[in-house]
Amino acid sequence: MQISRGITAHKPPLFLLITGAITAVAIVIPLTYLVIRTAGVGIEELADLLLRPRTVTVLINSAGMAAGVTLFSALIAIPLAFLTVRTDLPWRRFWLIVTTLPLAVPSYVGSFALIAAFGPRGSLLQLLLEPLGVQELPSIYGWFGTILAITLFTYPYILLSVRAGLHGIDPAMEEAALSLGYSKRATFFRVILPQLRPSIVAGSLLVALYALRDFGTPSLMRFDAFTRVIFLQYRSSFNRNLAAALALVLVVLVLGILWLENKARSRARYYSRRASRRTSQVKLGYWKLPALLFCTAITLIGLVLPVGVALFWLIRGLSVGGGDAVNLAQDMVQPALNSIWASVLAAIAATICALPVAILAVRFPSRITAIIERCSYIGFGLPGIVVALSLVFLGANYLPWIYQTVPILVFAYLVLFLPQSVGTVRSSLLQVNPQLEESAQVLGRTPWQTLREITLPLVRPGILSGSMLVFLTAIKELPATLLLAPIGFSTLATKIWTATENVAFSDAAAAALTMLLVSFGSTLFMLSQEQ
C-alpha cells in the first residue's frame, strides 16, 4: 500500500504551506531569542558562570536526579507491565488502570502530598506521632523527596511503553527457547528482556526528559536542579542574561536526551515484530501474594496518597481551622475557570497549528515540509521555565502590550505542547488512504474542500485525542503560568504552588483536588475515545 503520495502529486496547497511556515517560525522564536540573549553575556562572564562550582553542582544534581528517577521508575514499571500482561495476576485490568492513573497527577501535586504526609514538621505523620514525643521527623526535602516524587508520577511512561513491547513479542520465540531446554527464568532474561530493550530505553528517556524539565517538584522539595536555580536567578538578579545562559545549558542537556531518544527509536525498528497469536500466561503460584502486595503498595503511594492527603488536609482545614466550605469552594471557582479557559484556548490553537504541519509532513514530504515539522517539535525539548523566560524577555522589551496577557500565556502552551497534537494527528493521517483524497480532487473538489470534507472527518479521532492531550498537560503546567499569566489571573497550578509555599495545606488541598478531578476526568474521557 502506498501512503507516501499526497492529496495531489503537485505542490502542497499554498494555504497549508503558509500556515505551516508561520507555525514553524513562531515555535522557534523563544529558542532564537534565548540564544541572542545569551550572546549578550561577555565571554569572561559566561565562562565564569559555567565553571562556577555552584553551576557544576547543579549540573551534577540534575543529571543525577534524571538518572535516579529513571532507574527507580524502571524498577517499578517493568514488573508491573509483566504482571499485568503476561501473568495470571487477579484483577489485571483493575491494576492496569490504577497504576496508570498517576500519570494524570501533576508531580507538584504529588510532591505536596508527600510533604503534607511525611514532612518534618506539621505533616500528617508527625501529627500522629506527636503524642509519642516525636516533635520533628527526618527531612523529606532534597535528593530523596525529589527522586521519590518524580518517580511515583512518571513511571507510567515506562509501564505503557513496556506493555506495548510485551504485546508485540512473537510467542514462537519463547516457545522455541523453551523447546531448546531453557528454563522460564532463562527465557525471560535471554529472550524476552532483550526484545523489550527498545521499549525500556524509549520509556526511560521520556522519564529522564520529564525529570530534567520538571520545575514544581525541585522547587517544593528545595532541590537545586537547573529549573529551580534558573527561576531563582531570574527572580533575584538584575542581570537576567545569566538566567538565559543557564537556561541554554539546560536546553543543551535536554537536546542531548532527545538525541538519545531519537537514536533509540531508530534502532527500535530492528526489533519490530508481529504477534501471530496469544501468548500463554505465566502461573504466579506462591508469588501471587507478593505480586498483589507490590501492586497494592504502588497504588497506595502513587494514587491513594495524593487523593487521601488532599482530602485529609481539606477536612482538617474546614473542621479544625474553622474554614468555611462554601467560601473555600467559591475560592476555587475562578482559578478552575481560568485554568480551563487557558487550556481550552491552548488546545484549540495547537489543533489549528498542528493540522497543516501534519498534513504537509505526511502528504507532501519534502525538505521544506520536513524542516517545518522538525521546527514544530523544538518546543518538546524546551523546559517550561526556559520558554517562559524567553517570552518574558521578549514581551517586556519588545511587545509590552502583550506581556502578561492570556494570549502570550496561550502561546507559551502552544510552543510547549504542539508536538503532542502534531504527533496524534500525524498518526491518524498515516492510517487514511490518500486515494480517498485523490478521488475527491478528481471529482472536482478543491484542496480546501478536500481537506474540509474528506481529510478532517477521517482524522477526527486523532484531532480529538491530540486536543485532549494538550488540554490535560496545559492545565498542569506551572512555570510558564507563574511567569506569564496576567496579574490576578490565578490558576489551579499557581494556587497549589503558592499555598504550598505558604504552608497553607487546606488551600493547596482544595486546589489539588479540583486539579485531580479535572485531570482524571480528562484522562478517562481520552481513554474512552480510544476505545
Side-chain angles (χ1 to χ4, degrees), residues 263-282:
K263 295 288 287 184
R265 281 183 183 175
S266 300
R267 290 180 181 178
R269 281 182 290 191
Y270 295 101
Y271 293 84
S272 61
R273 60 273 173 188
R274 184 179 60 184
S276 56
R277 58 186 184 278
R278 293 176 64 87
T279 56
S280 59
Q281 289 185 346
V282 176

Side-chain angles (χ1 to χ4, degrees), residues 42-53 55:
I43 299 292
E44 293 183 1
E45 191 177 13
L46 184 60
D48 177 67
L49 174 69
L50 296 179
L51 299 177
R52 194 178 295 171
T55 305

Side-chain angles (χ1 to χ4, degrees), residues 108-109 215 220 235 332 334-336 338-339 409 413 474-486 488-502 507-508 511-512 515:
Y108 52 85
V109 172
F215 166 75
L220 293 177
R235 281 291 173 87
M332 292 301 117
Q334 194 57 49
N338 290 343
S339 297
L409 177 63
Y413 292 162
I475 206 168
K476 297 187 297 182
E477 212 290 327
L478 179 60
T481 312
L482 277 175
L483 295 179
L484 296 171
F489 190 83
S490 176
T491 66
L492 291 173
T494 58
K495 192 86 176 175
I496 295 168
W497 194 83
T498 306
T500 307
E501 284 282 296
N502 297 329
D507 289 346
M515 169 80 76

